[in-house]
Amino acid sequence: MHTLSLQIQDVVGENVNICYQCEKCTSGCPVSPEMEFVPAQIMHAAQLNLKQKILGANSIWLCASCETCTTRCPQGIDISAIMDALRIIARREKVKAGVPSVPVFYNLCLLSLRFVGCIYELGVAGYMRFRTGALLEDMPVAKEFIKRGKIKFFPKFRNVGRINRIISRVKKYESI
Amino acid sequence: MKYPFYPGCSMHSSAKEYLDSFMAISRYFGVELEEVEGWTCCAPTAMHGISPLLSTAIPASNLASIEETGQDSVMVPCAACFSRFKCATHEIAKSAETAAKVNDCIAYDFKNSVSILHPLEIYDEIKHELVIKELSKVNVVAYYGCLLTRPPEVKQFDDCENPQSMDNILRKIGLNVLDWSFKTDCCGATFNLTNKALFNRLTGKILDEAQLAGADIIAVACPLCQVNLDSYQHEMKKPNIPVLYFSQLIGLAYGIDGKELGLDRHFVKCEEVIEVCLKR
């Protein structure tokens, strides 16, 4: 049975055990006020193998990947990569996400990558609005985007074949 | 000088004015840009939360197609794409195991020989004699966002806590560049689509601080930051500060027409402040 810290090491090669709780990550984190467990607590919980506690928390899905924590960590821990690892582990182990809209967004981006070869902004944004029940209230802004030529109605397909060839090879090493 | 150029998804849609203004000023700099043939998405933020290898292999496949043509650099104006490319080359250089996996996934022996350039690095050598019309001393804050500078050992770009590259450019074209402490704070990223309350707090904070600093214009270098800061000011009942790409401001100083720079594409109207900029 693997501990969470070993699992993290396996996914992103980072060592949570060298964290000594200085909390620089937490003071710089722009979303820590909304987090159930702030970054320093996530690190501590990972050391203590409190897996279910952190995989189900909103924290791992609220992380904006701004990398302020990674930049400032005196121990050189890539905390942002650890957040990625926790999202990947939660996804693999089908843990119910603390912020359900974020994994939906991730899957949508992957879908867009697979079928269009780039991010089809109107499709991704439109579906997310629909999903979060904000489709109607956001219509005026959407209309302005289209009027200004800032969003394309139809996507331009880009080398979908190459993307899918890469995805199928990546699957040899990592589950997607 | 000629560079291969990787626009990424947003410069052909939501950041069309970044593309237009960047192309226009490049002509002035004598920089010839050639769009990379057959490019695909850079596999941005969401993807490294799904598969680290995929988010390295896809940028690498784009770089490989440049390497194959014998070129050794690429211009990447989108901060998100710039970030993914830099991260991928860093990961590949750091680990032979990752490099081998990537080579297998992209079916190419990638030499990691392409350097990733952001226009802020190239166009900082603005020659004063090129400025046709120095802009007046309008107050501007430079906003860099997360992806250009962090983490510093990967991006190798400017000071990660107090970057100066955009500040210097804006100062050279005559603007009054204000110091402020939110240069590299998060703009709200994709929370616009997943968590509106959080988005409003993060984006609102940047706008409030820019206003507090006394800014008449927020200058940006990232398509996502521009859309986030510009498009929802009305909805958030914020003070309507125009959010312009640094390339649009350079373009104005070179006497390029506002329409060609896409100034009419923004949500917050900027005609008035531009008129003041040009009055000197």
Side-chain angles (χ1 to χ4, degrees), chain A residues 82-156:
Chain A
I82 290 175
M83 291 294 192
D84 278 338
L86 293 170
R87 288 187 276 246
I88 290 166
I89 296 165
R91 192 180 148 93
R92 266 187 213 159
E93 302 186 4
K94 301 194 179 1
V95 178
K96 192 170 175 285
V99 188
S101 56
V102 180
V104 170
F105 173 68
Y106 278 22
N107 288 336
L108 216 52
C109 288
L110 185 60
L111 202 69
S112 182
L113 190 66
R114 269 188 169 143
F115 288 95
V116 189
C118 71
I119 302 295
Y120 172 39
E121 291 174 328
L122 186 69
V124 172
Y127 182 78
M128 286 310 296
R129 286 284 185 263
F130 168 71
R131 171 81 208 208
T132 51
L135 191 61
L136 282 177
E137 76 181 67
D138 215 50
M139 272 302 171
V141 177
K143 221 175 83 189
E144 291 299 314
F145 265 97
I146 293 167
K147 209 171 87 188
R148 285 174 169 74
K150 285 188 80 143
I151 203 154
K152 292 242 172 73
F153 224 89
F154 298 106
K156 183 157 171 33

Side-chain angles (χ1 to χ4, degrees), chain A residues 39-64:
Chain A
Q41 288 175 312
I42 294 281
M43 300 297 287
H44 196 189
Q47 290 170 346
L48 299 173
N49 202 30
L50 300 173
K51 192 169 162 180
Q52 293 319 314
K53 227 179 179 100
I54 44 178
L55 290 188
N58 70 359
S59 317
I60 63 174
W61 300 104
L62 285 183
C63 164

Side-chain angles (χ1 to χ4, degrees), chain A residues 68-88:
Chain A
T68 306
C69 51
T70 297
T71 299
R72 294 180 184 167
C73 177
Q75 287 289 76
I77 308 172
D78 189 347
I79 302 159
S80 180
I82 290 175
M83 291 294 192
D84 278 338
L86 293 170
R87 288 187 276 246
I88 290 166

Side-chain angles (χ1 to χ4, degrees), chain B residues 200-267:
Chain B
N200 286 347
R201 181 174 74 73
L202 294 172
T203 310
K205 185 82 182 147
I206 308 283
L207 294 168
D208 289 344
E209 292 298 328
Q211 191 192 19
L212 206 65
D216 298 310
I217 296 173
I218 301 173
V220 296
C222 168
L224 187 59
C225 299
Q226 201 283 334
V227 166
N228 282 351
L229 294 173
D230 178 41
S231 318
Y232 297 90
Q233 286 194 40
H234 179 69
E235 190 185 296
M236 288 160 67
K237 300 192 174 48
K238 292 292 172 194
N240 285 325
I241 307 174
V243 184
L244 306 180
Y245 289 104
F246 72 97
S247 48
Q248 292 176 306
L249 291 165
I250 297 178
L252 282 173
Y254 290 172
I256 301 170
D257 181 59
K259 203 153 178 77
E260 198 185 330
L261 298 169
L263 289 172
D264 53 345
R265 280 217 177 85
H266 298 304
F267 279 71

